[in-house]
Amino acid sequence: APQLTRRVCRILSAAWLRAWRQRHDSIDTGHLLLELVRESECCAARILSEFRVTGWRIRRAMPTRLMSFARPPNAAFVTTAACGRALDVAARDAADLNHPRVSAEHLLLALLQCPDCRATRTLRNLHVQPAEVCHRLLRLLADDAVYLGSANK
């Protein structure tokens, strides 16, 4: 299985911290989307910005809040089922494309393939068509020269 890039590790860590600060019991696809947008140097975030997707707009458009629970400060790294599926899909997509690492672009592509997850519903609420973002991402991933230059960070 492909390894994660440092950027994806940062996104996951930041998503965990965001969930923990909001007292959510697990990391959701919405947390991942918010942290992906914050990684302004990566192609995935730049593509989202072309569709006018910002952290502020995501927070305003995100459907239903997650349940909050009291939990100890050393709580484990737990994901929702949808988030776990998205991470599995990202790894599979990277392997299918013969990419050695799972990048932020694979992660966004995986989120877009989960039609009922909070991240994709949020994008639809922002009038962003997931298929258009997918198309743009797939063109980028197919262009190894451009992709490999940004993905190894």
Side-chain angles (χ1 to χ4, degrees):
Q3 296 180 345
L4 305 177
T5 62
R6 284 178 283 170
R7 180 171 283 136
V8 170
C9 290
R10 274 197 315 268
I11 289 167
L12 289 172
S13 294
W16 178 87
L17 186 59
R18 178 179 294 277
W20 184 81
R21 284 182 177 154
Q22 294 174 341
R23 301 181 64 81
H24 295 158
D25 67 333
S26 54
I27 300 168
D28 184 63
T29 59
H31 297 117
L32 292 180
L33 182 63
L34 276 164
E35 297 307 327
L36 261 169
V37 168
R38 289 186 63 206
E39 284 286 330
S40 59
E41 298 287 317
C42 76
C43 292
R46 286 198 299 265
I47 288 170
L48 287 171
S49 73
E50 290 173 13
F51 290 90
R52 297 185 33 224
V53 176
T54 63
W56 181 83
R57 291 189 72 219
I58 289 170
R59 285 188 295 278
R60 301 231 345 147
M62 195 167 291
T64 64
R65 302 281 178 229
L66 290 175
M67 294 295 295
S68 296
F69 295 93
R71 55 186 194 140
N74 61 349
F77 184 92
V78 178
T79 62
T80 60
C83 189
R85 279 192 306 275
L87 293 169
D88 291 343
V89 168
R92 186 195 68 218
D93 287 349
D96 288 349
L97 292 165
N98 291 320
H99 293 157
R101 296 174 187 262
V102 175
S103 69
E105 293 72 30
H106 297 115
L107 188 55
L108 178 55
L109 187 61
L111 290 174
L112 295 168
Q113 293 177 66
C114 300
D116 294 325
C117 75
R118 282 182 42 168
T120 303
R121 286 183 298 164
T122 299
L123 290 174
R124 276 200 235 83
N125 288 348
L126 292 171
H127 306 289
V128 173
Q129 296 303 314
E132 291 179 34
V133 181
C134 266
H135 178 72
R136 182 84 174 79
L137 271 169
L138 288 170
R139 277 195 331 212
L140 172 79
L141 291 171
D143 184 0
D144 280 343
V146 173
Y147 165 71
L148 291 174
S150 70
N152 291 321
K153 296 179 181 165

